[in-house]
Amino acid sequence: MEHNILIIGGNGLVGKTIARILQSRNPDITIFIGGRKGGKTDRDLKIDVTDPASLRIISDKKINLIILSVNDKSDHVLQYAIDHHIDYLDITKSTPDLVKAYNLAEKADVSSRIVFSSGWMGGIVPGLVNAISKNIHDISDVKLFVYYSVKDLAGESSAHFMAENVSVPFSNYKNDRPVFVRNFLNKETFDFSFGIGKRVAYNFDVPDLYILNKVERVPNVNVKMTYSSKFITWLLGGFQYIRLFDILSLKERRAIFSASGNGDQSVFEIVVKNKTGEKKLSLQSTKGQAELTALSAVLHTEELLRNPHENHVYFSHQLHEPQLLLAQLNAYETIHINTPS
């Protein structure tokens, strides 16, 4: 079967990285790149997610799978994929946008695979939680700790995501109930692996909070983040404490979060508790978060191409056998995973 895959937002950092990894691992597929400005070849498609009329070219090119790597708040691409029976993989949404899109898809008559992969680093965290747990139903508590390097080549979309959501309250979950909190408050000290050491980490909103509680039914879920710069971590906590972000414009907030380096490691740690004790998984991407997010999207894509998953609405971790997902990540040369006993 011919596979024509469209990456919308394919000219951005993550989109380009998805295309590079996907093509290198699957030389027989045809990759199209969608962007607002189009391009010089017949594989560069002029697509603006705010203009539904621009999506008609997707059917003209006989696209089998759309990978969405750009923010589509109105869900025009999702609706087009549903209406035209095209497989769809979205890696871009904030928690509120994810919930809205998921509800839209669940109510629709779906005749393709609709996959939401907007969790941290391409939606792999719930799958890794399952990989280190004998039974997801025995888990009482999941904590995710994120190390974010200011030197990481993160891309514009990551900065915009933080700027747009920093002032928005969100929910952690305690005893299966939402507890409203704010980003960069409620500090907790955590001892990070890979030579990082003890760092103060603060609340951070990622869709995994919703997915782990509402989909995997983990009653207690919490996410904390620290920056590589202790001063920046402290400063952002101070800004949030005095509510400075509330009065800054979006442009000013984007300026605060816009720094992107030339490349550095990205690290996250998962701590899972059940009745018998605690388990931990530590993951390092030596080439940073864009590489890991793109690799995750590629693994989800390859799973859709390789196995006959039914037409349905999925979160991306539901496509995978957890141990196989763990093995595939571990096999990638720039990914290092520790699971101490």
Side-chain angles (χ1 to χ4, degrees):
M1 177 181 175
E2 182 181 9
H3 295 295
N4 295 330
I5 296 177
L6 168 64
I7 305 172
I8 300 181
N11 294 311
L13 176 61
V14 173
K16 287 180 179 178
T17 309
I18 293 172
R20 169 175 58 80
I21 298 173
L22 183 60
Q23 194 74 82
S24 68
R25 291 163 62 104
N26 304 272
D28 294 334
I29 67 174
T30 302
I31 297 177
F32 293 84
I33 301 298
R36 285 178 295 178
K37 296 181 180 180
K40 297 180 179 179
T41 76
D42 61 355
R43 294 189 184 181
D44 296 308
L45 309 184
K46 189 173 182 179
I47 293 176
D48 183 348
V49 297
T50 66
D51 177 15
S54 72
L55 304 180
R56 286 197 292 263
I57 197 171
I58 295 174
S59 294
D60 295 341
K61 296 294 184 178
K62 299 181 179 179
I63 300 298
N64 310 111
L65 169 65
I66 299 168
I67 301 174
L68 187 63
S69 181
V70 67
N71 194 4
D72 177 21
K73 282 189 171 293
S74 297
D75 292 316
H76 291 312
V77 179
L78 171 60
Q79 191 63 62
Y80 189 92
I82 292 171
D83 291 344
H84 293 81
H85 320 301
I86 301 170
D87 291 340
Y88 168 96
L89 174 67
D90 189 338
I91 65 170
T92 63
K93 295 191 182 302
S94 65
T95 306
D97 291 339
L98 172 64
V99 174
K100 178 170 70 74
Y102 179 67
N103 288 337
L104 184 159
E106 280 283 276
K107 294 175 183 177
D109 182 12
V110 170
S111 299
S112 59
R113 283 86 60 87
I114 303 297
V115 183
F116 295 103
S117 185
S118 295
W120 188 247
M121 298 295 99
I124 58 175
V125 169
L128 294 176
V129 168
N130 280 299
I132 61 173
S133 310
K134 290 184 178 179
N135 188 340
I136 188 71
H137 303 294
D138 291 337
I139 296 175
S140 62
D141 190 292
V142 172
K143 286 189 175 183
L144 172 65
F145 292 91
V146 173
Y147 173 83
Y148 186 99
S149 175
V150 295
K151 298 178 182 178
D152 195 353
L153 184 61
E156 184 181 76
S157 60
S158 178
H160 286 186
F161 175 85
M162 292 188 184
E164 290 170 5
N165 294 284
V166 65
S167 295
V168 181
F170 65 95
S171 295
N172 284 331
Y173 293 90
K174 187 173 183 179
N175 298 323
D176 213 24
R177 292 179 176 272
V179 178
F180 286 97
V181 295
R182 296 170 69 85
N183 286 286
F184 304 120
L185 294 178
N186 305 109
K187 66 182 182 181
E188 180 175 348
T189 301
F190 183 78
D191 192 2
F192 284 84
S193 304
F194 305 106
I196 297 169
K198 290 185 178 180
R199 295 298 183 100
V200 173
Y202 291 90
N203 293 338
F204 187 56
D205 182 22
V206 292
D208 305 273
L209 289 160
Y210 173 85
I211 296 167
L212 285 166
N213 178 257
K214 299 300 183 184
V215 179
E216 296 296 337
R217 304 309 309 172
V218 177
N220 299 287
V221 190
N222 189 274
V223 178
K224 303 280 188 182
M225 186 182 79
T226 191
Y227 276 73
S228 57
S229 166
K230 295 180 181 179
F231 174 72
I232 290 178
T233 306
W234 172 83
L235 191 65
L236 292 175
F239 282 3
Q240 189 70 288
Y241 182 76
I242 64 175
R243 299 292 184 98
L244 182 61
F245 290 120
D246 292 357
I247 62 175
L248 294 177
S249 67
L250 178 58
K251 182 179 180 180
E252 290 168 330
R253 282 183 268 132
R254 283 181 174 176
I256 291 173
F257 290 103
S258 63
S260 180
N262 295 318
D264 197 8
Q265 68 173 340
S266 178
V267 171
F268 68 79
E269 317 249 0
I270 302 169
V271 180
V272 174
K273 293 182 180 179
N274 58 26
K275 295 177 181 179
T276 61
E278 181 177 289
K279 292 186 177 181
K280 178 181 174 183
L281 181 147
S282 306
L283 187 150
Q284 177 196 49
S285 171
T286 59
K287 293 188 71 172
Q289 63 173 338
E291 186 84 4
L292 179 52
T293 300
L295 172 63
S296 300
V298 169
L299 293 179
H300 307 327
T301 299
E302 290 174 343
E303 180 63 24
L304 287 171
L305 298 180
R306 184 169 52 240
N307 291 317
H309 296 278
E310 294 182 1
N311 294 332
H312 190 61
V313 181
Y314 298 90
F315 289 100
S316 56
H317 73 279
Q318 295 172 325
L319 298 174
H320 300 273
E321 194 284 313
Q323 293 297 331
L324 181 57
L325 174 63
L326 177 62
Q328 289 176 314
L329 289 166
N330 226 353
Y332 197 72
E333 61 182 356
T334 64
I335 306 298
H336 305 288
I337 299 175
N338 295 332
T339 53
S341 57

